[in-house]
Amino acid sequence: MTIIHYDIAAVVITVLSIFVYFRKKEASKLQNKIFLATLFSCLLAGIGAIGGFYTANGRPGLSFVPVVFTSLYMFAHNLTPLLFTAYIMVLIGINKKHKKKFFFIFFAPAILSLLLILTSPFSKLIFYYTSSVYNRGPLMPVLYSVAVLYFLLDFYYIIRYHSIIPNSTEAVFVTFIFSALISVVVQMLFPSMLIELFVQSVVLLFILLTIENNGEIYNGTTHVYNRRTFLLENLKSIEGNLTYQIILLKILNIRYFTKMFGFRFIQEVLQDIASYLCTLAGKDVVYDCENGNFALILYRDMQVKSGDIVDSLYRKFSHEWISHDISLTFEAQICRIMVPRDANSLENLINLIDTNDFKTENRISIIQEEQLRYMQRKAAIETAIEKALRENTLKVYFQPIYDCEKNKITSAEALVRLIDEDLGFVSPDEFIPIAEKNGTITAIGQFVFEEACHIFSREKLKEIGIEFIDVNLSTVQCMHKNLAEIFKNTLEHYGLTSKTINLEITESAAINSQETFQQTMKDLRGMNFSFSLDDYGTGYSNATYIFNMDFSVIKIDKSILWEAEKRESARIILRNTIRMIKEMNLKIVVEGIETKEQKELVVSLGCDYCQGYYFCKPVPKEQFIEFTKKFNFPS
């Protein structure tokens, strides 16, 4: 006896799922629409199964009725493997990767099955009725073969794109496939137990309450997709090697208006902006990335509209935005990002969205390609810095400093070097400002300080004539309240005194008047650290820094020396600068010595130390030690 109760339960569960679906969410993404189609397919299959069962023994004149219901059941039920595979493809994002030719092949088996089902009332190849008794046709195995083919494709996608599928989602997919296969086997072994649709409806309800639960994908204020959804969508697309565009709208002064008009008012304004963006491109491509940042993701055919969308945004935000009779003058930036050309990783993309480094003079501006390249480079360097700190791959090079009186190398400047496996050598002039801005300069500075102490102690540098090592100190480092204590602990660990390290700070740092900075400098002086003023003669040159900060050494910037070779006026400046500093009983280092003539010039003017390529460029510790030994102790 056939047990129809499972099919009835399947219909009840599916109706409940459809009701919950429309109560909880909007079907705007293709993923959502395919899932809804799968629910209706399950519902129609259940109706067909129940109708076929109850009409099989009907009046002779109505013998076509069970045939219609059975055709409906088979048609809808055999759509499920196709729809579920399509659902997985869209959820992963690989549907955007495949070309039209693939989809012809993809749909072909399903179309064959459906044609066989629709023609079966006449051909009897799939099923037929004799005396109101249901019979399977000779080509029924074709339907099972097609279903197995799609399930195998499901497994392939799950395994192939395992890295970009959340574990919970992957578990649901595997559960659905195994449940479907097990239910087919059970129903084949026990034909009276019609459990296929019941199992399918239960798993679909579970998917609705987990994967399809949109409580976490929309922004609660603007009702478009949120930042998390944006990141997940791009993660899928980047991992899938897709080529697409992102249009980024940044409203720079949104916080200013929030303070002026209040949170609730600006929330309404953001809603209006999101609605406007939806009218330009459709709701399924608009994302609220927070803090006044909106993004539109454009695939395939939508990309041809990107120029028109950018133009529309520029015209719209060039005028005042009116809301509740209040005129708002937005400062906006519009940026078109080509993925992967402008951003080949999720980290790069996040940096482009969150950065405030796009500097323009116009209230409304379109960010150009060269600015994007700059940001891409900056993001890559930030990643390289973080990786180097994490993996301890930063290098410290040493540039010898020549003592004019002793005619020996008596000190050296420790200089950090970043050599990345992807970027190669990155100039300090490029990565140090980035590190200062994002705060990693503190970790870099501590690394250099500790490495200098470690090498001075382990390599016994005093024995080869090195009296101290110069270590650069950044302004950001000096804002660390515990810097003096950290340095003290490091020196004690290596059994050194503060006389071993001379701290260099730039002129721009010397003028810092913040309380934390001044207290840090006071604490360091209290530990008897000596200080050099680096790059003297550039930017902020002012003799008052020299005696206010109690410097021991003044390092004259190379630009003054190089100009002194060309012009008499510059030579006068150099001569008098050295004379003034000497009269203050301070030591002088002249940087940038590259020729014998330059060395002789600065020595004749009375400088104490020389530093430059004439002696040695910055080199790794082994070369530095070897050079110093040969220079100080010639055979």
Side-chain angles (χ1 to χ4, degrees):
M1 177 180 175
T2 301
I3 304 175
I4 196 65
H5 303 94
Y6 287 109
D7 284 338
I8 295 173
V11 169
V12 172
I13 292 172
T14 306
V15 169
L16 174 64
S17 296
I18 293 173
F19 175 77
V20 172
Y21 181 93
F22 283 111
R23 281 293 299 262
K24 291 187 69 172
K25 61 182 295 306
E26 303 172 40
S28 56
K29 270 187 173 292
L30 181 59
Q31 162 197 328
N32 311 137
K33 294 172 183 176
I34 294 176
F35 180 76
L36 182 60
T38 308
L39 285 177
F40 275 109
S41 175
C42 185
L43 176 62
L44 292 175
I47 292 172
I50 296 169
F53 175 81
Y54 284 112
T55 60
N57 296 311
R59 292 186 299 175
L62 299 176
S63 59
F64 69 91
V65 176
V67 174
V68 172
F69 275 115
T70 302
S71 297
L72 175 64
Y73 162 75
M74 288 197 168
F75 186 91
H77 189 46
N78 283 274
L79 268 179
T80 300
L82 170 71
L83 290 172
F84 189 70
T85 303
Y87 181 73
I88 291 177
M89 288 172 57
V90 172
L91 196 66
I92 296 174
I94 55 176
N95 62 303
K96 307 179 187 76
K97 185 177 181 180
H98 294 309
K99 297 181 179 179
K100 290 182 179 179
K101 183 179 179 181
F102 168 84
F103 289 104
F104 284 121
I105 300 172
F106 175 74
F107 286 110
I111 292 173
L112 174 63
S113 296
L114 298 178
L115 287 174
L116 289 173
I117 292 169
L118 291 175
T119 58
S120 194
F122 311 104
S123 66
K124 299 182 181 180
L125 292 175
I126 300 298
F127 75 93
Y128 59 92
Y129 280 89
T130 55
S131 302
S132 301
V133 176
Y134 169 81
N135 298 278
R136 293 186 171 187
L139 296 186
M140 176 63 78
V142 172
L143 302 186
Y144 287 101
S145 299
V146 171
V148 169
L149 178 64
Y150 283 116
F151 283 135
L152 288 175
L153 190 57
D154 295 340
F155 273 119
Y156 167 75
Y157 283 138
I158 291 172
I159 294 171
R160 170 68 177 79
Y161 297 98
H162 168 78
S163 61
I164 61 174
I165 304 175
N167 292 336
S168 57
T169 300
E170 185 177 6
V172 173
F173 285 163
V174 173
T175 300
F176 183 92
I177 296 169
F178 274 112
S179 299
L181 292 174
I182 292 171
S183 64
V184 169
V185 173
V186 171
Q187 193 160 313
M188 286 179 64
L189 296 175
F190 306 98
S192 62
M193 296 184 63
L194 307 179
I195 66 169
E196 281 187 62
L197 287 178
F198 174 73
V199 171
Q200 179 180 314
S201 65
V202 170
V203 178
L204 286 176
L205 176 60
F206 186 64
I207 292 176
L208 173 66
L209 298 176
T210 54
I211 300 175
E212 285 293 302
N213 185 355
N214 272 351
E216 295 183 354
I217 74 171
Y218 284 116
N219 182 284
T221 299
T222 53
H223 310 299
V224 294
Y225 296 115
N226 61 20
R227 180 185 176 96
R228 177 178 178 273
T229 309
F230 174 80
L231 298 179
L232 290 175
E233 178 71 16
N234 281 281
L235 178 62
K236 292 187 301 184
S237 299
I238 291 172
E239 290 286 340
N241 297 318
L242 298 184
T243 300
Y244 58 101
Q245 293 185 27
I246 296 172
I247 295 178
L248 179 63
L249 170 67
K250 300 173 70 68
I251 301 176
L252 305 179
N253 56 346
I254 197 69
R255 291 184 178 177
Y256 166 77
F257 287 121
T258 302
K259 292 179 181 178
M260 179 176 289
F261 296 106
F263 180 78
R264 287 190 178 182
F265 175 78
I266 294 303
Q267 295 301 290
E268 293 181 14
V269 172
L270 292 173
Q271 287 178 18
D272 293 340
I273 293 173
S275 298
Y276 170 71
L277 294 175
C278 291
T279 63
L280 289 181
K283 184 173 182 178
D284 58 334
V285 305
V286 179
Y287 298 79
D288 185 339
C289 294
E290 301 175 0
N291 300 319
N293 296 325
F294 290 89
L296 284 69
I297 301 181
L298 308 178
Y299 297 102
R300 289 188 178 169
D301 296 340
M302 282 294 293
Q303 295 187 51
V304 301
K305 301 179 181 178
S306 61
D308 294 335
I309 293 173
V310 169
D311 291 342
S312 297
L313 288 172
Y314 186 83
R315 289 193 299 270
K316 181 70 174 179
F317 286 91
S318 293
H319 299 89
E320 293 180 337
W321 188 282
I322 309 297
S323 181
H324 298 287
D325 296 326
I326 296 176
S327 297
L328 304 175
T329 303
F330 287 129
E331 293 178 12
Q333 290 179 343
I334 304 158
C335 178
R336 183 159 50 174
I337 303 169
M338 311 290 187
V339 181
R341 187 195 72 183
D342 301 324
N344 56 9
S345 70
L346 192 62
E347 290 77 14
N348 288 349
L349 197 54
I350 292 172
N351 283 329
L352 289 176
I353 291 172
D354 293 340
T355 185
N356 291 317
D357 282 356
F358 294 135
K359 303 299 182 184
T360 62
E361 296 179 358
N362 301 322
R363 184 175 66 82
I364 308 297
S365 58
I366 298 176
I367 302 304
Q368 302 300 324
E369 185 178 336
E370 59 271 15
Q371 292 170 294
L372 279 176
R373 282 200 298 268
Y374 161 75
M375 281 310 304
Q376 186 179 27
R377 174 72 176 177
K378 177 176 176 290
I381 291 174
E382 286 183 330
T383 301
I385 292 171
E386 292 169 1
K387 180 182 176 183
L389 288 170
R390 184 173 62 252
E391 299 180 1
N392 198 32
T393 56
L394 284 171
K395 304 293 183 184
V396 175
Y397 281 26
F398 296 86
Q399 185 171 31
I401 298 176
Y402 171 76
D403 188 315
C404 300
E405 182 180 350
K406 296 180 180 178
N407 193 29
K408 287 187 176 182
I409 302 298
T410 57
S411 61
E413 182 176 1
L415 299 162
V416 67
R417 293 292 182 260
L418 175 62
I419 304 172
D420 184 71
E421 59 183 12
D422 296 322
L423 301 178
F425 175 79
V426 183
S427 168
D429 292 339
E430 189 175 16
F431 79 83
I432 291 296
I434 292 174
E436 287 180 331
K437 192 163 187 177
N438 67 18
T440 53
I441 192 65
T442 300
I444 293 173
Q446 176 58 22
F447 170 80
V448 175
F449 184 88
E450 184 154 353
E451 190 72 3
C453 292
H454 174 66
I455 291 169
F456 197 99
S457 174
R458 189 187 68 182
E459 304 294 341
K460 298 180 173 34
L461 296 187
K462 263 192 175 303
E463 295 181 4
I464 63 172
I466 300 299
E467 299 171 1
F468 58 88
I469 298 291
D470 285 358
V471 174
N472 290 283
L473 199 59
S474 76
T475 307
V476 178
Q477 253 185 301
C478 294
M479 299 304 293
H480 196 299
K481 291 184 178 180
N482 299 323
L483 182 66
E485 184 178 350
I486 293 171
F487 281 5
K488 178 183 177 182
N489 293 337
T490 305
L491 290 171
E492 289 177 352
H493 176 75
Y494 291 103
L496 302 173
T497 69
S498 57
K499 296 298 182 183
T500 307
I501 302 294
N502 177 64
L503 299 175
E504 289 190 13
I505 66 172
T506 61
E507 289 190 67
S508 58
I511 64 172
N512 195 312
S513 61
Q514 295 188 54
E515 184 178 345
T516 303
F517 177 90
Q518 293 297 331
Q519 183 60 48
T520 298
M521 300 304 294
K522 181 179 178 181
D523 293 341
L524 291 171
R525 282 195 297 271
M527 291 175 59
N528 295 318
F529 275 107
S530 59
F531 288 90
S532 294
L533 178 62
D534 196 16
D535 298 334
Y536 182 77
T538 61
Y540 302 90
S541 294
N542 190 321
T544 57
Y545 310 148
I546 298 176
F547 50 80
N548 282 341
M549 288 294 295
D550 192 22
F551 289 107
S552 302
V553 180
I554 307 300
K555 300 188 78 171
I556 297 177
D557 187 71
K558 59 188 177 184
S559 61
I560 297 180
L561 170 64
W562 293 353
E563 282 297 316
E565 282 193 304
K566 302 174 186 177
R567 295 183 299 165
E568 179 60 27
S569 58
R571 185 175 293 228
I572 292 171
I573 292 174
L574 176 62
R575 183 188 308 118
N576 284 283
T577 299
I578 292 176
R579 181 180 57 80
M580 176 191 71
I581 296 171
K582 292 291 289 183
E583 288 179 358
M584 297 173 69
N585 295 319
L586 301 178
K587 297 290 187 180
I588 299 171
V589 179
V590 178
E591 300 177 301
I593 307 294
E594 296 187 351
T595 66
K596 180 180 179 181
E597 292 73 22
Q598 289 176 337
K599 175 203 167 187
E600 291 175 349
L601 171 63
V602 297
V603 170
S604 68
L605 292 176
C607 82
D608 301 284
Y609 303 100
C610 297
Q611 181 178 354
Y613 282 17
Y614 174 70
F615 301 98
C616 183
K617 65 180 181 180
V619 291
K621 63 180 181 182
E622 295 84 4
Q623 291 178 244
F624 162 67
I625 293 170
E626 182 181 356
F627 171 83
T628 303
K629 286 179 179 178
K630 288 182 178 179
F631 194 98
N632 289 349
F633 307 103
S635 54

